[in-house]
Amino acid sequence: MIWVPGVPRVQGVLWARRALVTPLALVALVALMAPVALKAPLAPKALKARLAPRAPLAPSQQSPNHTLTAVGGLKVGQHTLSERPTGCTVILAEQGAVGGVDVRGSAPGTRETDLLNPTNLVEKVNAIVLSGGSAFGLASADGVVKYLEEKHVGFPTGAGVVPIVPAAILYDLQVGNGSVRPGADCGYAAARAATADPVTEGNVGAGAGATVGKLMRSDRGMKGGIGSAAIELPGGLVVAAIVAVNATGNITDPTTGQFIAGGRTDDGRSIADLRAMLRGATARPPGARRSQSIENTTIGVVATNATLTKAQATKLAQMAHDGYARSIYPSHLMIDGDAIFALATGTRDGAPDMNRLGALAADAMSEAIVRAARAATGIPGYPAARDLK
């Protein structure tokens, strides 16, 4: 306490407090202003740079990857023969992935599916090929085998590696010039182009010549294509799908129950009520020509980062077919070769919950089918979902 002689003690205290307030306030103000005062002003170039708009983010930075390549360790490459169109889609698992398959259609075209039987020797595959071109398109897998051999990727044997490349095809020869078909060069090009970037959807790869809605009248079909979807849970589990949609039936959005692509009415302007036709409530369109068994098939892959056995991977493929049933009406017919492969990269440890995995696989596959229809663009004779008003 400060006391000034000649001033009563109480008044001295008050005077002393007033005397200290102004210096202390000034000190505090100077302390607060010092960083601002000491900071050098921005140079003109720096100021201009700060005010300039930033470059747009790359696609991978703008949003998460919601396609098959969200599963770490997988790459997707596609090659399109635009002159017809047709093509192939390659899913690479260069580190190997436990594989399974389930074929539900009655007119399939496949390669190396017996190898995936859980009772057989080889545990892991190195790639899956989905191709247009009917049986001719199975040759696409030869190109993928060549590519992987050059990379020394495959099942080890005494004479070197043997790449394990199962494949499935769809029939699209009725679109354009049927003599243009995917071959080994197509598969090689697709494998070489494979990346972990989000999958391109629509009229690409195996979906380039894909069509849908040909059950009641094959000349009133619509465009199908490639679609992909992924589901990632907070704990890190990822389940994803890719599919080439070339269905006999119509494509349904299960969230609304409405057809979004498929067989069109006689005037070609809207989608026919296929359910009513099959139940006899409405007549077959005049001049209808029945679809032939060679003109269909939907083929796809489901994948997860979970650790699975071959038996569990096979079960995952089986359960994923529920996605076909939800989004393709009808599916698994005598006149298609509907098939689904399953891949498990095993980067996520722990015992799998197969009930959950199977449910998620069906969800991802269903969404991928819808995305394929919506991403497609029309070609001569086959309008796309986006073309119908």
Side-chain angles (χ1 to χ4, degrees):
M1 180 182 295
I2 299 175
W3 177 69
V4 179
V7 179
R9 185 172 295 274
V10 173
Q11 292 180 358
V13 172
L14 294 175
W15 177 87
R17 286 179 178 172
R18 291 191 189 100
L20 285 173
V21 167
T22 300
L24 288 175
L26 288 172
V27 170
L29 181 61
V30 170
L32 289 172
M33 292 296 293
V36 178
L38 293 174
K39 189 173 181 180
L42 285 173
K45 288 186 179 180
L47 181 60
K48 184 177 181 181
R50 174 171 289 189
L51 295 176
R54 296 186 179 186
L57 294 174
S60 60
Q61 295 175 295
Q62 290 176 341
S63 62
N65 183 354
H66 294 302
T67 66
L68 188 83
T69 47
V71 178
L74 297 184
K75 297 178 181 179
V76 172
Q78 306 190 81
H79 188 69
T80 304
L81 304 175
S82 56
E83 61 268 31
R84 188 154 78 74
T86 187
C88 65
T89 298
V90 175
I91 299 90
L92 289 185
E94 293 172 300
Q95 302 304 312
V98 174
V101 68
D102 188 48
V103 179
R104 297 281 178 95
S106 298
T110 57
R111 163 181 168 151
E112 296 271 45
T113 50
D114 282 351
L115 173 146
L116 296 174
N117 188 310
T119 63
N120 291 335
L121 173 66
V122 176
E123 287 287 323
K124 294 186 176 182
V125 304
N126 306 116
I128 300 289
V129 176
L130 308 177
S131 181
S134 189
F136 302 105
L138 289 173
S140 297
D142 293 336
V144 181
V145 169
K146 177 183 177 183
Y147 173 84
L148 290 171
E149 183 187 23
E150 292 174 354
K151 300 291 183 182
H152 307 289
V153 172
F155 184 79
T157 75
V161 298
V162 177
I164 306 300
V165 184
I169 53 86
L170 56 80
Y171 184 94
D172 60 2
L173 298 179
Q174 84 283 7
V175 176
N177 181 359
S179 66
V180 178
R181 307 153 184 161
D185 54 344
C186 184
Y188 189 92
R192 188 171 58 182
T195 73
D197 294 338
V199 175
T200 301
E201 301 172 282
N203 297 23
V204 292
T211 56
V212 300
K214 300 156 286 186
L215 181 62
M216 303 301 288
R217 183 166 177 170
S218 58
D219 62 344
R220 284 291 183 267
M222 291 180 64
K223 190 67 183 69
I226 288 286
S228 189
I231 300 169
E232 183 171 359
L233 301 187
L237 176 67
V238 181
V239 182
I242 187 171
V243 62
V245 181
N246 188 60
T248 310
N250 288 3
I251 307 305
T252 303
D253 183 346
T255 63
T256 63
Q258 301 297 312
F259 291 135
I260 59 172
R264 290 170 291 146
T265 54
D266 193 45
D267 62 10
R269 297 179 180 178
S270 59
I271 301 172
D273 188 347
L274 186 54
R275 292 188 183 90
M277 289 182 183
L278 290 176
R279 298 181 185 194
T282 61
R284 178 189 293 271
R289 178 169 61 87
R290 283 189 179 276
S291 179
Q292 301 301 310
S293 61
I294 56 175
E295 295 179 356
N296 313 290
T297 292
T298 296
I299 47 180
V301 177
V302 290
T304 180
N305 59 353
T307 299
L308 303 182
T309 64
K310 281 180 72 177
Q312 290 170 328
T314 300
K315 191 62 183 179
L316 188 68
Q318 291 176 353
M319 298 174 80
H321 271 283
D322 286 353
Y324 278 20
R326 291 174 195 167
S327 294
I328 301 173
Y329 179 83
S331 58
H332 307 132
L333 304 178
M334 296 299 296
I335 53 175
D336 65 49
D338 291 351
I340 296 178
F341 295 96
L343 297 174
T345 61
T347 58
R348 187 174 185 273
D349 296 328
D353 180 346
M354 287 306 300
N355 293 320
R356 177 184 241 184
L357 280 175
L360 295 176
D363 285 346
M365 182 58 74
S366 176
E367 182 180 345
I369 292 168
V370 172
R371 289 178 62 88
R374 289 190 167 139
T377 54
I379 60 175
Y382 297 93
R386 65 178 69 192
D387 299 323
L388 298 187
K389 304 300 181 183

